[in-house]
Each structure stands twice: as C-alpha cells, then as structure tokens.
Amino acid sequence: MILGIGLDVVHIRRIEHWLSVPGLPERFFHPEELASALSRGPTAPLSLAARFAAKEALGKALGTGLRGIRLADIRVINNHNGRPGIELYGTALARLAESGGTRLHLSLTHERDNAIAMVVLEE
C-alpha cells in the first residue's frame, strides 16, 4: 500500500552557489554521495541538484518534511544499471520507521537548469 508520494524540483544555480560556500555541501550530502557527484566534473551541480530534490521529495512522501532529519543521513545511490535508490541512516532511518514505511521508490530526471525527483513510500 502506498503511504506517501513526494515530488520536488531544484534549480541548478542553487547548488552551484552551495558549492562555492566552504563546508555547506557537507551539511546537505552524505560524504560518498558528494564525492561521487563531484567526480562527474562539470555536471556535478546537476547531479547534486537531483539528489537534493530526492531528499526534499522524501520529506514530502513521509508527510513530515525534513524537520529533525540530518540531510547527510539520506544518500541517493545508483545500482549497477544506473537505477536510483535511497539509503537512509540515523535520523532519516528513524523517521522512516516512525512512518510505518518499508520501501522507497525513487525517480530522478534533469534537463538544462532543473532537476526533479519523485519518491513513493510503501508500507
């Protein structure tokens, strides 16, 4: 059964600004997530925008927003085929448990200046 659906869009300029502020990206991204995205070179801001949109969409799917969740406790990953997924740790994992959700589905897309993410939370 579906417990929640979340959708979010992030403009790439927001992430470009964050990357120019020392220490700021580390507040929003899991260390491995950040390293993976930065290894993409010039497309790193677009990749990070999609990942941040996923975090926001997760908060909406949970129905509680991201209040009380450490954003670095949410890690967007890609499997061997490139399919995106979400791994949760600490505060994010606790919030998922409180929601009664057990499965997360993630879809990401981006074009030019915007990235969009959709999360479906299942019981």
Side-chain angles (χ1 to χ4, degrees), residues 3 5 11 22 28 33 41-42 44 50 52-53 61 63 65 67 79 81-83 88 97 105 107 122-123:
L3 294 178
I5 298 172
H11 197 282
F28 299 116
E33 181 181 42
F52 190 74
R67 192 177 8 157
N79 74 9
N81 291 324
R83 180 180 180 178
L88 304 178
H105 303 276
S107 182
E122 278 190 283
E123 183 175 34

Side-chain angles (χ1 to χ4, degrees), residues 25-87:
E26 290 79 5
R27 285 183 48 203
F28 299 116
F29 299 101
H30 185 277
E32 292 175 28
E33 181 181 42
L34 186 56
S36 174
L38 292 176
S39 74
R40 297 173 189 227
T43 63
L46 194 53
S47 177
L48 290 171
R51 280 151 175 70
F52 190 74
K55 295 167 194 261
E56 292 279 347
L58 173 63
K60 292 171 182 173
L62 289 168
T64 60
L66 295 171
R67 192 177 8 157
I69 295 177
R70 184 176 170 265
L71 292 176
D73 284 348
I74 304 167
R75 178 180 172 206
V76 176
I77 59 165
N78 295 93
N79 74 9
H80 64 282
N81 291 324
R83 180 180 180 178
I86 300 178
E87 290 183 350

Side-chain angles (χ1 to χ4, degrees), residues 89-103:
Y89 309 92
T91 58
L93 189 58
R95 180 66 54 82
L96 178 67
E98 290 169 11
S99 77
T102 58
R103 286 187 72 188

Side-chain angles (χ1 to χ4, degrees), residues 9-20 41-50 52-53 110-116:
V9 61
V10 173
H11 197 282
I12 189 173
R13 279 190 234 149
R14 180 179 184 188
I15 304 303
E16 289 170 339
H17 170 72
W18 289 357
L19 290 172
S20 73
T43 63
L46 194 53
S47 177
L48 290 171
F52 190 74
H110 44 70
E111 185 172 330
R112 295 186 187 176
D113 297 335
N114 296 294
I116 299 170

